[in-house]
Amino acid sequence: MQSCSSALCMLILLISAFSAEILSAVPSVKVKLHDSATLSCSERCSGLVRWSVFHKPTDVLAECDQTSCRSVKEGYQMIHDQYLKGNLSLTITDADFTKRGWYTCDCDGEDICDVQLLIEPLSTSVRIHPGESLVLDLDIPEEVEVIYNRTGSAGLSSGQICAVDGRSLQCDPEYKQRVSAALELRAVTPSDSGVYTVMDKKNEEVIHIYTVTVGSAGGSELNDDHPDLDTDRGAAVPVWVFALMVVVLLAVVVVLVVIVRQRR
Ligand SMILES: *[C@@H]1O[C@H](CO)[C@@H](O)[C@H](O)[C@H]1NC(C)=O
Ligand SMILES: *[C@@H]1O[C@H](CO)[C@@H](O)[C@H](O)[C@H]1NC(C)=O
């Protein structure tokens, strides 16, 4: 707030509130991956009705006029009987991640409906043994981030572990050595158990949730074989945190001492 003039701040605030308002006002449809989705629009239109990708009026998907309806792009349908009744809905036969986004319906070139298509996040449970690799499918080619929530700790150690943009992969230093480009996390230990969320970074949309349990399904032999793995990794973090806390505490003490001396 100090670095920008109040008028400018006000303007920025207004613009961001306004655009958030517009986007949140757009009705949305959420379906399961590969289900069909119906984007609703009921308006009277006696002329040419066209569905297109939002802000790309030339990217026509399907259209109707008084005589018939046509699918311009495969997988997008309008029904003529419904059009005559004022139901201008568009049916997307196979909703996949590439079809997520905003769509516009117009009547003789005038925007009458905007609808957002969302895909329900996928959910996968994985049970693997210590030492094996965890492979996370990123599902979409767009930039994603992978967020890890450790099992059994309330938000203590959750956070982004990797960001993947095209072929470039950026991981937290702790994970750098263990993750390959396919987002394979090698040599897991029981402390890697938890929830891994693959997020579409740009749209802040959850794509895939992996609930991961590392341990042997049949009993405790494997855990007994590697009792040190868990404790080693568990101990590494507290030592580091402890050191940081000591440094911060010392800094606070020094600052306090300086302040007290100055006052005297
Ligand atoms: C509108 O048409 C779609 C098919 O295009 C249909 O699924 C939907 O039920 C119709 N809605 C109404 C209100 O009739
Ligand atoms: C992970 O933890 C954060 C808070 O630390 C929480 O907001 C988020 O919903 C959690 N995600 C999952 C998938 O549990």
Side-chain angles (χ1 to χ4, degrees):
M1 278 295 177
Q2 282 167 338
S3 57
C4 64
S5 80
S6 53
L8 186 63
C9 284
M10 205 52 146
L11 192 65
I12 291 171
L13 265 174
L14 275 176
I15 290 172
S16 45
F18 189 58
S19 38
E21 188 71 29
I22 289 176
L23 286 182
S24 64
V26 171
S28 64
V29 175
K30 194 183 235 179
V31 295
K32 290 202 171 78
L33 184 63
H34 299 310
D35 273 5
S36 83
T38 300
L39 311 189
S40 302
C41 182
S42 17
E43 287 284 333
R44 282 274 155 208
C45 180
S46 51
L48 178 66
V49 174
R50 279 184 152 153
W51 275 97
S52 59
V53 173
F54 189 65
H55 278 170
K56 284 187 201 157
T58 52
D59 202 347
V60 178
L61 306 166
E63 59 185 21
C64 283
D65 58 22
Q66 290 294 330
T67 54
S68 65
C69 290
R70 286 164 298 280
S71 296
V72 179
K73 224 169 150 183
E74 206 189 313
Y76 298 89
Q77 289 170 356
M78 291 177 74
I79 297 168
H80 197 242
D81 288 351
Q82 298 293 338
Y83 160 84
L84 293 175
K85 284 195 258 174
N87 175 0
L88 311 180
S89 302
L90 174 75
T91 301
I92 300 178
T93 49
D94 177 11
D96 62 30
F97 287 115
T98 65
K99 293 176 183 146
R100 287 175 311 141
W102 287 269
Y103 293 84
T104 297
C105 179
D106 60 56
C107 169
D108 288 328
E110 195 190 326
D111 186 343
I112 48 174
C113 294
D114 293 322
V115 183
Q116 184 187 15
L117 175 68
L118 298 162
I119 307 288
E120 274 181 27
L122 302 172
S123 199
T124 308
S125 282
V126 183
R127 181 173 266 280
I128 46 180
H129 297 295
E132 290 176 355
S133 289
L134 170 65
V135 178
L136 303 179
D137 202 344
L138 302 181
D139 300 297
I140 58 168
E142 289 90 357
E143 187 176 359
V144 296
E145 56 185 341
V146 178
I147 298 176
Y148 169 49
N149 287 22
R150 182 158 288 166
T151 306
S153 67
L156 233 181
S157 50
S158 75
Q160 177 186 304
I161 58 173
C162 294
V164 188
D165 182 8
R167 281 168 182 266
S168 102
L169 177 77
Q170 263 135 33
C171 289
D172 212 55
E174 203 192 330
Y175 287 90
K176 222 169 195 158
Q177 297 302 316
R178 297 173 62 206
V179 175
S180 66
L183 218 83
E184 175 182 341
L185 179 61
R186 290 186 288 271
V188 297
T189 66
S191 69
D192 288 317
S193 295
V195 178
Y196 292 77
T197 308
V198 179
M199 296 260 303
D200 175 337
K201 207 167 173 180
K202 188 167 144 255
N203 298 307
E204 291 182 0
E205 221 173 297
V206 176
I207 300 294
H208 204 143
I209 298 169
Y210 286 91
T211 306
V212 177
T213 313
V214 181
S216 55
S220 56
E221 345 80 75
L222 255 172
N223 290 336
D224 290 345
D225 280 351
H226 307 279
D228 51 328
L229 281 178
D230 203 8
T231 42
D232 273 1
R233 287 189 54 81
V237 176
V239 166
W240 176 84
V241 172
F242 183 71
L244 188 73
M245 277 168 68
V246 169
V247 169
V248 169
L249 209 69
L250 279 176
V252 168
V253 168
V254 168
V255 167
L256 279 178
V257 166
V258 169
I259 289 175
V260 166
R261 286 210 174 151
Q262 275 179 349
R263 290 235 164 139
R264 274 181 187 169

